[in-house]
Amino acid sequence: MSNAGKTGLVVTAHPGDFVWRAGGAIALHAKKGYRIKIACLSFGERGESQFAWKEADATMEKVKAGRRDEAQRAAEMLGAEIEFFDAGDYPLRLTEAHFDRMVGIYRELNPSFVLTHALEDPYNFDHPNAAHFAQETRVVAQAMGHKPGAKYTYSAPPVFLFEPHQPEMCNFKPQVILNIDEVWGIKRKTFEILAAQKHLWAYYERVALQRGVQGGRNTGKPMTYGEAYQRLFPMAMEELA
Amino acid sequence: MSNAGKTGLVVTAHPGDFVWRAGGAIALHAKKGYRIKIACLSFGERGESQFAWKEADATMEKVKAGRRDEAQRAAEMLGAEIEFFDAGDYPLRLTEAHFDRMVGIYRELNPSFVLTHALEDPYNFDHPNAAHFAQETRVVAQAMGHKPGAKYTYSAPPVFLFEPHQPEMCNFKPQVILNIDEVWGIKRKTFEILAAQKHLWAYYERVALQRGVQGGRNTGKPMTYGEAYQRLFPMAMEELA
Amino acid sequence: MSNAGKTGLVVTAHPGDFVWRAGGAIALHAKKGYRIKIACLSFGERGESQFAWKEADATMEKVKAGRRDEAQRAAEMLGAEIEFFDAGDYPLRLTEAHFDRMVGIYRELNPSFVLTHALEDPYNFDHPNAAHFAQETRVVAQAMGHKPGAKYTYSAPPVFLFEPHQPEMCNFKPQVILNIDEVWGIKRKTFEILAAQKHLWAYYERVALQRGVQGGRNTGKPMTYGEAYQRLFPMAMEELA
Amino acid sequence: MSNAGKTGLVVTAHPGDFVWRAGGAIALHAKKGYRIKIACLSFGERGESQFAWKEADATMEKVKAGRRDEAQRAAEMLGAEIEFFDAGDYPLRLTEAHFDRMVGIYRELNPSFVLTHALEDPYNFDHPNAAHFAQETRVVAQAMGHKPGAKYTYSAPPVFLFEPHQPEMCNFKPQVILNIDEVWGIKRKTFEILAAQKHLWAYYERVALQRGVQGGRNTGKPMTYGEAYQRLFPMAMEELA
Amino acid sequence: MSNAGKTGLVVTAHPGDFVWRAGGAIALHAKKGYRIKIACLSFGERGESQFAWKEADATMEKVKAGRRDEAQRAAEMLGAEIEFFDAGDYPLRLTEAHFDRMVGIYRELNPSFVLTHALEDPYNFDHPNAAHFAQETRVVAQAMGHKPGAKYTYSAPPVFLFEPHQPEMCNFKPQVILNIDEVWGIKRKTFEILAAQKHLWAYYERVALQRGVQGGRNTGKPMTYGEAYQRLFPMAMEELA
Amino acid sequence: MSNAGKTGLVVTAHPGDFVWRAGGAIALHAKKGYRIKIACLSFGERGESQFAWKEADATMEKVKAGRRDEAQRAAEMLGAEIEFFDAGDYPLRLTEAHFDRMVGIYRELNPSFVLTHALEDPYNFDHPNAAHFAQETRVVAQAMGHKPGAKYTYSAPPVFLFEPHQPEMCNFKPQVILNIDEVWGIKRKTFEILAAQKHLWAYYERVALQRGVQGGRNTGKPMTYGEAYQRLFPMAMEELA
């Protein structure tokens, strides 16, 4: 397998998202030799750390440090590097500086694909905000007049939207089922780093199993664990099968 | 290239459709070694033969014979075989016997893909009828209780919908752009068999060019001529790029 | 005003529909000199004659005769002619013979527009059936191979869908508001022919008033009574205002 | 709890459907004192009995008898009565006689609700056919001119669409989550009657668990097992909470 | 009736909105014993006070004072309290401080339901802005890291979207019809406080009557005046009727 | 032709857009005597000037000056005046001052129509931003409390959305096809001012030809070159043909 030099990018609002929703894709491509980078826009410190805030001596610094540590370890276990934007959550508030940095990452990485959130989510507005940010910076990275003179090779990559918590409520359509059988063990083990969200371990194991059944049914090839994605753009093909 | 034994199926309401909408896919896969079969549900004798009816001595038999001959030659030039259902057009009226035969074709062929019309078309109701027929028979072919005892291997294939004449009016979304550069010459030459629809030659050359631009833009790889398809079902992937 | 020779066609499932939904358009164009023809597919004898069935001696013949008489008088008051298909209602069951007759009417009339039901209606399946029938025959009337040899001039007319009883539930979008102020008196008076549906008189007067307010608001020109329609096809324009 | 005299109706294409998709609703309302009737349109003999056809001596009669027996026992375990239409499957072909009988059932039962399939299903065309049939007969049952003179009380009931196998592919929106905790044991046990579809037991247990999580999340009240439904019509309320 | 301690929240862009669109729900729940609070984001001083600006000596202060007074009296007549955000209108410009205050209100009130604008409105962009604000703050109020240490009980309430001026243009679907017969007199009387919008009194009386007819038709129970709402989230049910 | 005093407005994100997408409408209405004004929000200096940035000595000032000059000449050739907002592109960042100026233009011009971008465009976020800006200012211009005391006549004009580069991906529906035959020569010649985008000349000539075919097919009147638009609001009509 010669994927040397290939890269993939994941843009995620909170730490848990890249584990539950894209952990399989990350581990799989890492194993195939891709360099995978996660742009983690917040620590989920306000809205996704209920457990931590129940500690008597919780402070914003402590909560953020705890979640950063978890996210770092989860990324490592999956085989990815991670960069934190620390943009705040609930609500996620992205600035011009974040925008420029994200454009820079696209250009540095020139990824073969980018994974991000679904376009709608009435349960969590940070998610569509992150998706919009990932999309807009992906386009701006093409603009020669953005930081003219910089040296880079960049071609806007295909976008895959990952499955939200309640897919039908987000108008999510599964168009791609990625077979994650060979890395399921890693993904499942990474769940355990997110110790405080133990109630979601079984939930997302069931999601993977349901998508596996669907992946098998739609293709006739056996699949046990799957991850569903929606494509944003047409794909070019050389052959239909 | 070893596609020996692979097959593809095209289900089309009228003869012109498989040329304008899928001629590239047919020629391309034929060239790659696929056996391609076209199920041509009518001769287009009533609604798509205006020229022929202008002849003083036109009769239904003559018109059908003329269109059958054209369709036969077009299929040959593209490298495909063709089976005529003679179900009538404007309106297309499919019977139980047609239904059973179509199920039989799916089982005989066990195709790697099936191409058919878009799901809606307010300009031509034969098109969605044909698409519905192609879909329903594809499912029934899986039923062991349909002609029990028959011997066959069958797995329901992925469905690709071809581009209608006015795509936005049919809620058609191009999800796949097939690069047909290497067979464009054949497709274009096949247009000329459809001598009476000369006004459409340029129209569908422009369609191929526009889709080629889009195929190139969406992937960064050059493409001159394209054919657009919409997928009906999720695809399983082993890698996202 | 010189609309001599111009015609309009209305395809309706039941008698009440052409009064409540298109009475203004009919009266208005009749007044402008159009010949308007109503194709009334059933008498509404089973599902829209609850009052009549409460009579002790009601029979199917009596109920149909009563509704036919009402429909005839309503058409006359609006200035239109009417042809009955007597295809039955609840459910409407259209045959090949009805299909051929409808094609014949399109060709005889060569209308400038056709009005029919909305494409969906979960409260009344006769409505979308009638709309589908109106659309499919409109297309087939173009086919030179349908009754070849017949002499006629025909160009498929623009289609306007009339407003259903509960528009949002039918995914109806008002794209055209027709100003019916100058014929409102006639439309309202025609309501009274439908004596048994007195409870709908006020309902449809309110509909006309609401659409009038919207017509005024969307254009800046005053309008008191309006009728809403949805277009099925793009319109060609020579000027955008 | 005094639901004496209340009834509910389930219209289902194949036997498995009422178990996987509505078994909880059936058992729950049966327990609450409702009389529940299942209209089972086919035995699933052609398309949903793969196991049975693998028997060396399988015949259509044997397969149908086997599935009828299973369906009968499943209905009993859930607390419902069942009526078989024997309309055939793959494809389901409903006749005028089936139509009249279905209208008759609506009038005999005058149900408080009707449960049926989702409106779309590209994996199984019997499902939307059954849903359309359930809807159209529900409306026709209101028509006084359908079998005039009959004595009955009938008011068209609210419609709930049950969750299809791949909800996003069927444009299914979960609008109602029914808490089935108190009858989960019965539903799960009924799965075991469908011995040949053992691979679906775990699949539909996971579906119930996921919907339970969603039911809890959307309401703040704990729920372990849920069944999702989509409403077809607005509901009237006297209070918003 | 024991609704002691229950509360409801209304988030509205301009003063008129809570009267025309939700006046019935407010009065009804107030009568049932709920504490109802209106968060009125602007006075509608720029865009919804055309009459006031026609006064020779109109100033921004006078216009705002006039509309505040009206809104206050309208809230009182309906039985609700009102809090003004004074965020400006045309366009509505909401700040971080407004955001925090709105989160605070959700937590103080812990409402059983929240009513707000439809998600789209091409005639008035303040409306979808207000709806987005109401939704996003509803979610953030759940975040323990938002003002950690605060004491409150909060569970995100169901959201009901109220009917916009031109519902089809806003993709509004009426999913709930609230029976407001018993408070119609109060709602109608409140219209008169909005003296300058006299032309809307009859308009919204007709809206209430049309929704009443639909509420009756969809349920079989008589209803004269209704208010339509769209739900944003699934509802959990214990019984389907 | 007496269109003296009539005006039209075009709101465009970048200079190329008004040529490719609305050049025909501009030239046609200019020829008919309308005063046409283009509000050009940016120079496209960062994202749509790849060619210019390839020059060794390119600077932001030079690029902007070059594109301004081109845009000025293109507007002149089409017969329109142009006002530059210089709001920056990739991303377009519109301020309160831009907002106020745009409102001012609406009031000064009181246009008979406004043309702007489609509502969605995943390839270019400046386009939907511009469309939103054009819509919101169109509404605010009606507010008497916006700069009270100003003297003007203003009625919010109909909105036509112009065709994006990849229409299906933007959910664009062609509802109006404008016949631009008599000004095609001018439009085509204007393409040549955009010398650096030579690869788009043929692309947009093909777009015009395809829309011409569709315009002819939908109306029966011959048309060679067309421009497609989507309407945002219902239109009032006095006659349906």
Side-chain angles (χ1 to χ4, degrees):
Chain A
M1 173 194 346
S2 156
N3 286 309
K6 285 200 183 169
T7 62
L9 177 61
V10 183
V11 182
T12 178
H14 316 104
D17 297 321
F18 73 81
V19 179
W20 314 121
R21 308 187 199 300
I26 295 169
L28 184 70
H29 288 84
K31 204 176 156 199
K32 285 178 193 287
Y34 283 67
R35 173 186 166 204
I36 304 292
K37 174 156 195 163
I38 299 161
C40 189
L41 304 182
S42 82
F43 299 109
E45 65 269 20
R46 303 216 299 175
E48 313 220 324
S49 307
Q50 309 292 64
F51 57 100
W53 289 108
K54 288 177 184 154
E55 303 288 319
D57 61 345
T59 64
M60 193 57 83
E61 287 63 40
K62 280 191 201 169
V63 172
K64 284 167 73 168
R67 302 270 10 227
R68 167 196 277 269
D69 175 64
E70 265 182 29
Q72 191 80 55
R73 285 185 291 128
E76 265 161 43
M77 187 171 284
L78 295 169
E81 57 197 84
I82 188 165
E83 179 170 333
F84 296 103
F85 276 57
D86 194 7
D89 72 326
Y90 282 68
L92 180 64
R93 292 289 186 228
L94 295 152
T95 64
E96 287 293 311
H98 296 130
F99 194 97
D100 281 352
R101 179 60 196 136
M102 195 72 232
V103 171
I105 290 176
Y106 271 107
R107 289 179 171 181
E108 286 165 27
L109 214 62
N110 191 26
S112 293
F113 57 80
V114 57
L115 312 181
T116 191
H117 290 274
L119 304 187
E120 301 173 49
D121 192 341
Y123 297 100
N124 192 319
F125 291 89
D126 293 354
H127 292 169
N129 284 355
H132 189 271
F133 176 74
Q135 281 188 81
E136 193 170 11
T137 49
R138 168 188 171 274
V139 171
V140 168
Q142 293 174 305
M144 284 190 68
H146 177 90
K147 306 211 176 152
K151 290 273 174 273
Y152 58 87
T153 300
Y154 176 69
S155 177
V159 180
F160 296 86
L161 308 177
F162 35 71
E163 178 169 350
H165 193 65
Q166 298 192 31
E168 303 95 345
M169 299 305 296
C170 303
N171 292 316
F172 175 82
K173 295 281 165 209
Q175 296 175 336
V176 168
I177 313 282
L178 185 72
N179 185 335
I180 59 168
D181 283 356
E182 65 173 296
V183 294
W184 170 252
I186 299 170
K187 177 167 179 176
R188 181 61 186 73
K189 219 164 138 192
T190 310
F191 285 8
E192 297 177 22
I193 293 177
L194 306 173
Q197 288 163 289
K198 205 167 175 174
H199 62 292
L200 290 178
W201 299 0
Y203 186 89
Y204 281 104
E205 177 155 1
R206 290 190 301 261
V207 167
L209 284 164
Q210 301 303 78
R211 293 304 180 191
V213 173
Q214 292 173 10
R217 176 161 175 172
N218 279 288
T219 59
K221 284 181 234 155
M223 186 189 298
T224 303
Y225 297 98
E227 258 174 19
Y229 293 93
Q230 179 172 332
R231 291 189 74 105
L232 213 54
F233 298 104
M235 67 189 295
M237 292 182 88
E238 305 287 328
E239 190 171 337
L240 294 175
Chain B
M1 172 195 344
S2 155
N3 287 310
K6 285 200 183 168
T7 62
L9 176 62
V10 183
V11 183
T12 177
H14 315 105
D17 296 322
F18 73 80
V19 179
W20 314 122
R21 309 189 197 299
I26 295 169
L28 185 70
H29 288 84
K31 204 175 155 199
K32 285 178 194 287
Y34 282 68
R35 173 185 166 205
I36 305 291
K37 175 156 194 164
I38 299 161
C40 189
L41 303 182
S42 82
F43 298 110
E45 64 269 19
R46 302 215 301 176
E48 311 220 324
S49 307
Q50 308 293 63
F51 57 99
W53 288 108
K54 287 178 183 156
E55 303 289 318
D57 61 346
T59 63
M60 194 58 85
E61 287 64 39
K62 278 190 202 170
V63 172
K64 285 167 74 167
R67 304 266 15 224
R68 168 195 278 268
D69 175 64
E70 264 182 29
Q72 191 79 56
R73 284 185 292 130
E76 265 161 43
M77 188 171 283
L78 295 169
E81 57 197 81
I82 188 166
E83 180 170 332
F84 297 103
F85 276 57
D86 195 8
D89 72 326
Y90 283 68
L92 181 64
R93 292 288 186 228
L94 295 152
T95 63
E96 288 292 312
H98 296 131
F99 194 97
D100 280 352
R101 178 62 196 135
M102 195 71 232
V103 171
I105 291 175
Y106 270 107
R107 289 178 171 182
E108 285 165 27
L109 215 62
N110 191 24
S112 293
F113 57 80
V114 57
L115 313 180
T116 191
H117 290 273
L119 304 187
E120 300 174 48
D121 193 340
Y123 296 99
N124 192 318
F125 291 88
D126 294 354
H127 292 169
N129 284 355
H132 188 272
F133 176 74
Q135 281 188 80
E136 193 170 12
T137 49
R138 169 188 171 275
V139 171
V140 168
Q142 293 174 304
M144 283 190 69
H146 177 89
K147 305 210 177 154
K151 291 272 174 274
Y152 56 88
T153 301
Y154 175 69
S155 176
V159 180
F160 296 86
L161 308 177
F162 34 70
E163 177 169 350
H165 194 66
Q166 298 192 32
E168 301 95 346
M169 299 304 296
C170 303
N171 291 317
F172 175 83
K173 294 281 166 209
Q175 294 175 337
V176 168
I177 313 282
L178 185 72
N179 184 336
I180 60 167
D181 284 355
E182 64 173 296
V183 295
W184 170 250
I186 299 170
K187 177 167 180 175
R188 182 60 187 71
K189 219 165 137 192
T190 309
F191 285 8
E192 296 177 22
I193 293 176
L194 306 173
Q197 288 163 291
K198 206 166 175 174
H199 61 294
L200 290 177
W201 299 0
Y203 186 88
Y204 281 103
E205 177 154 0
R206 290 191 300 262
V207 167
L209 285 163
Q210 302 303 79
R211 294 305 180 190
V213 172
Q214 291 173 9
R217 177 161 174 173
N218 279 289
T219 59
K221 284 181 234 155
M223 185 189 299
T224 304
Y225 297 99
E227 259 173 19
Y229 293 93
Q230 180 172 333
R231 292 188 73 106
L232 214 54
F233 298 104
M235 67 189 295
M237 292 183 89
E238 305 287 327
E239 190 170 338
L240 294 176
Chain C
M1 173 195 346
S2 157
N3 287 310
K6 285 200 184 169
T7 62
L9 176 62
V10 183
V11 182
T12 177
H14 316 106
D17 297 322
F18 74 80
V19 179
W20 314 121
R21 309 187 196 300
I26 295 169
L28 184 71
H29 289 84
K31 203 176 157 198
K32 284 179 193 289
Y34 283 67
R35 172 184 166 205
I36 303 292
K37 174 157 196 164
I38 299 162
C40 188
L41 303 182
S42 83
F43 299 110
E45 65 269 20
R46 302 216 299 175
E48 313 221 323
S49 307
Q50 308 294 63
F51 57 100
W53 288 107
K54 288 177 183 155
E55 301 290 319
D57 60 347
T59 64
M60 193 59 83
E61 288 63 39
K62 279 191 200 168
V63 172
K64 284 166 75 168
R67 303 274 3 232
R68 168 195 278 270
D69 175 62
E70 263 181 30
Q72 191 81 57
R73 284 185 292 130
E76 264 161 44
M77 186 170 285
L78 295 170
E81 58 198 82
I82 188 165
E83 180 171 331
F84 297 102
F85 275 57
D86 195 7
D89 72 326
Y90 281 69
L92 182 63
R93 292 289 185 226
L94 294 153
T95 64
E96 287 293 311
H98 296 130
F99 194 97
D100 280 352
R101 178 60 197 136
M102 195 72 232
V103 171
I105 290 176
Y106 271 108
R107 289 179 171 182
E108 285 165 28
L109 214 62
N110 191 26
S112 293
F113 57 79
V114 56
L115 312 181
T116 192
H117 290 274
L119 304 187
E120 300 174 48
D121 192 340
Y123 296 100
N124 191 318
F125 291 88
D126 294 353
H127 292 169
N129 284 355
H132 189 272
F133 177 74
Q135 280 188 81
E136 194 171 11
T137 49
R138 169 187 171 275
V139 172
V140 168
Q142 294 174 304
M144 284 190 67
H146 178 90
K147 306 208 177 155
K151 291 272 173 273
Y152 58 86
T153 300
Y154 175 68
S155 177
V159 180
F160 296 87
L161 307 177
F162 35 71
E163 178 170 351
H165 193 66
Q166 298 192 31
E168 302 95 346
M169 299 306 295
C170 302
N171 292 317
F172 175 83
K173 294 280 165 209
Q175 295 174 337
V176 168
I177 312 282
L178 185 72
N179 185 335
I180 60 168
D181 284 355
E182 64 173 299
V183 295
W184 170 251
I186 300 171
K187 178 167 178 174
R188 182 61 188 70
K189 219 165 138 191
T190 310
F191 285 8
E192 297 177 21
I193 294 177
L194 306 173
Q197 288 164 289
K198 206 166 175 176
H199 61 294
L200 291 177
W201 299 1
Y203 186 89
Y204 281 104
E205 177 154 1
R206 290 191 299 262
V207 168
L209 285 163
Q210 302 302 80
R211 295 304 180 189
V213 172
Q214 292 173 9
R217 177 162 174 173
N218 279 289
T219 59
K221 284 180 235 155
M223 185 188 301
T224 304
Y225 296 99
E227 257 174 20
Y229 292 93
Q230 180 172 332
R231 292 188 72 105
L232 213 53
F233 299 104
M235 68 189 296
M237 294 183 87
E238 305 287 328
E239 191 171 339
L240 294 175
Chain D
M1 175 193 343
S2 155
N3 286 309
K6 285 200 184 170
T7 63
L9 176 62
V10 182
V11 183
T12 178
H14 316 105
D17 296 321
F18 73 79
V19 180
W20 313 122
R21 310 188 196 300
I26 295 169
L28 185 70
H29 289 84
K31 205 176 155 198
K32 285 179 194 288
Y34 282 68
R35 172 185 166 205
I36 304 292
K37 174 156 195 164
I38 299 162
C40 188
L41 303 182
S42 82
F43 299 109
E45 65 269 21
R46 303 215 301 174
E48 311 220 324
S49 307
Q50 309 293 64
F51 57 100
W53 287 108
K54 287 177 183 155
E55 303 288 320
D57 61 345
T59 63
M60 193 59 83
E61 286 65 39
K62 280 190 201 170
V63 172
K64 284 167 73 169
R67 303 272 6 230
R68 168 195 277 268
D69 175 64
E70 265 181 30
Q72 191 80 57
R73 284 186 292 130
E76 265 161 44
M77 188 171 284
L78 295 169
E81 58 197 82
I82 188 165
E83 178 170 333
F84 296 103
F85 275 57
D86 194 7
D89 71 327
Y90 282 68
L92 181 65
R93 292 287 185 229
L94 295 152
T95 64
E96 287 294 311
H98 296 130
F99 194 98
D100 280 353
R101 177 61 197 133
M102 195 72 233
V103 171
I105 291 175
Y106 272 108
R107 289 179 171 181
E108 285 166 27
L109 215 60
N110 191 26
S112 293
F113 57 79
V114 56
L115 312 181
T116 190
H117 290 274
L119 303 187
E120 300 174 48
D121 192 340
Y123 297 99
N124 193 318
F125 291 88
D126 294 354
H127 293 169
N129 284 356
H132 189 271
F133 176 74
Q135 282 188 79
E136 194 170 11
T137 48
R138 169 187 171 274
V139 172
V140 168
Q142 294 173 305
M144 283 190 67
H146 177 90
K147 306 208 176 155
K151 291 270 174 276
Y152 57 87
T153 300
Y154 175 69
S155 176
V159 180
F160 296 86
L161 308 177
F162 35 69
E163 177 169 351
H165 193 65
Q166 298 192 33
E168 303 95 345
M169 299 305 296
C170 303
N171 292 317
F172 175 83
K173 294 281 166 208
Q175 295 174 337
V176 167
I177 313 282
L178 185 71
N179 185 336
I180 60 167
D181 283 356
E182 65 174 296
V183 294
W184 169 251
I186 300 170
K187 177 168 179 174
R188 182 60 187 73
K189 219 165 139 193
T190 310
F191 285 7
E192 296 177 22
I193 294 177
L194 306 172
Q197 289 164 289
K198 205 167 174 175
H199 62 293
L200 291 177
W201 299 1
Y203 186 88
Y204 281 104
E205 177 154 2
R206 291 191 300 261
V207 167
L209 285 163
Q210 302 302 79
R211 294 304 180 191
V213 173
Q214 291 173 11
R217 177 162 174 171
N218 280 289
T219 58
K221 283 181 235 155
M223 185 189 301
T224 303
Y225 297 99
E227 257 173 20
Y229 292 93
Q230 180 172 332
R231 292 189 72 105
L232 214 53
F233 298 105
M235 67 189 295
M237 293 183 87
E238 305 288 328
E239 190 170 340
L240 295 175
Chain E
M1 171 194 348
S2 156
N3 286 309
K6 285 201 184 169
T7 63
L9 176 62
V10 183
V11 182
T12 178
H14 316 105
D17 297 320
F18 73 80
V19 179
W20 313 121
R21 311 187 196 300
I26 295 169
L28 184 70
H29 289 83
K31 204 176 155 198
K32 285 180 194 287
Y34 283 68
R35 172 185 166 205
I36 304 292
K37 174 156 195 164
I38 299 162
C40 189
L41 304 182
S42 83
F43 299 110
E45 65 269 20
R46 303 215 301 173
E48 312 219 325
S49 308
Q50 308 293 63
F51 57 99
W53 288 107
K54 287 178 184 155
E55 303 289 318
D57 61 346
T59 63
M60 193 59 83
E61 286 64 39
K62 280 191 200 169
V63 172
K64 284 167 74 169
R67 303 273 5 231
R68 168 195 277 269
D69 175 63
E70 264 182 29
Q72 192 81 55
R73 284 185 292 129
E76 265 162 43
M77 186 170 286
L78 295 169
E81 58 197 82
I82 189 165
E83 178 169 332
F84 297 102
F85 275 57
D86 194 7
D89 71 326
Y90 282 68
L92 181 65
R93 293 288 186 228
L94 295 151
T95 64
E96 288 292 312
H98 296 131
F99 194 98
D100 280 352
R101 178 60 196 135
M102 195 72 234
V103 172
I105 290 176
Y106 271 107
R107 290 179 170 181
E108 285 165 27
L109 215 61
N110 191 25
S112 293
F113 57 80
V114 57
L115 313 180
T116 191
H117 290 273
L119 304 187
E120 301 174 48
D121 193 340
Y123 297 100
N124 193 318
F125 291 88
D126 293 354
H127 292 169
N129 284 357
H132 189 271
F133 176 74
Q135 281 188 80
E136 194 170 11
T137 48
R138 168 187 171 275
V139 172
V140 168
Q142 294 174 304
M144 284 190 67
H146 178 90
K147 307 208 176 155
K151 290 272 175 275
Y152 57 87
T153 300
Y154 175 69
S155 177
V159 180
F160 296 86
L161 308 177
F162 34 71
E163 177 169 351
H165 193 66
Q166 299 191 31
E168 302 95 346
M169 300 304 296
C170 303
N171 292 316
F172 175 82
K173 296 279 166 209
Q175 295 175 336
V176 168
I177 313 282
L178 185 72
N179 185 335
I180 60 167
D181 284 355
E182 65 173 297
V183 293
W184 169 251
I186 299 171
K187 177 167 180 175
R188 181 61 187 73
K189 218 164 141 194
T190 311
F191 285 7
E192 296 177 22
I193 293 177
L194 306 173
Q197 288 164 289
K198 205 167 175 175
H199 61 294
L200 290 177
W201 299 0
Y203 186 88
Y204 281 104
E205 177 154 2
R206 290 192 299 262
V207 167
L209 285 163
Q210 302 302 81
R211 294 304 180 191
V213 173
Q214 291 173 10
R217 177 162 174 171
N218 279 289
T219 57
K221 282 181 237 155
M223 185 190 300
T224 303
Y225 297 98
E227 259 174 19
Y229 292 92
Q230 180 173 332
R231 292 189 73 105
L232 214 53
F233 299 104
M235 67 189 295
M237 293 182 87
E238 305 287 327
E239 190 170 340
L240 295 175
Chain F
M1 173 193 346
S2 156
N3 286 309
K6 285 199 182 169
T7 63
L9 177 61
V10 183
V11 182
T12 177
H14 316 105
D17 297 322
F18 73 80
V19 179
W20 313 122
R21 309 188 198 298
I26 295 169
L28 185 70
H29 288 84
K31 205 176 155 199
K32 285 180 193 287
Y34 283 68
R35 172 185 166 205
I36 304 292
K37 175 157 195 164
I38 299 161
C40 189
L41 304 181
S42 83
F43 299 110
E45 65 268 20
R46 301 215 301 175
E48 311 220 325
S49 307
Q50 308 293 64
F51 57 100
W53 288 108
K54 288 177 183 156
E55 303 288 319
D57 62 345
T59 63
M60 194 57 85
E61 286 65 39
K62 280 191 201 169
V63 172
K64 284 166 73 167
R67 302 272 6 230
R68 168 196 278 268
D69 175 63
E70 265 182 28
Q72 191 80 56
R73 284 185 292 129
E76 265 161 43
M77 188 170 284
L78 296 169
E81 58 197 80
I82 188 165
E83 180 170 333
F84 297 102
F85 276 57
D86 195 8
D89 72 326
Y90 282 68
L92 181 65
R93 291 289 186 227
L94 295 152
T95 64
E96 287 293 312
H98 296 131
F99 194 97
D100 281 352
R101 178 59 197 136
M102 195 72 233
V103 171
I105 291 175
Y106 271 108
R107 288 178 171 182
E108 285 165 28
L109 215 61
N110 191 25
S112 293
F113 57 81
V114 57
L115 312 180
T116 191
H117 290 274
L119 304 187
E120 301 174 48
D121 192 340
Y123 296 99
N124 192 318
F125 291 88
D126 294 354
H127 293 169
N129 284 356
H132 189 272
F133 176 73
Q135 282 187 80
E136 193 170 12
T137 49
R138 169 188 171 274
V139 171
V140 168
Q142 294 174 304
M144 283 190 68
H146 177 90
K147 305 207 176 155
K151 290 272 174 274
Y152 57 88
T153 301
Y154 175 69
S155 176
V159 180
F160 296 86
L161 308 177
F162 35 70
E163 177 169 350
H165 193 65
Q166 299 192 31
E168 302 95 346
M169 299 305 296
C170 303
N171 292 317
F172 175 82
K173 295 280 166 210
Q175 295 174 337
V176 167
I177 313 281
L178 185 71
N179 185 336
I180 61 168
D181 284 356
E182 65 173 296
V183 294
W184 170 251
I186 300 170
K187 178 168 179 175
R188 182 61 187 70
K189 219 165 138 192
T190 311
F191 285 9
E192 297 176 23
I193 293 176
L194 306 172
Q197 288 163 290
K198 206 167 174 175
H199 61 293
L200 291 177
W201 299 0
Y203 186 88
Y204 281 104
E205 178 155 359
R206 291 191 300 261
V207 167
L209 284 163
Q210 302 303 78
R211 294 304 180 192
V213 172
Q214 291 173 9
R217 177 162 175 173
N218 279 289
T219 58
K221 283 181 233 154
M223 184 189 300
T224 302
Y225 297 99
E227 257 173 19
Y229 293 93
Q230 180 172 332
R231 291 189 73 106
L232 214 53
F233 298 105
M235 68 189 295
M237 293 182 89
E238 305 287 328
E239 190 171 338
L240 294 176

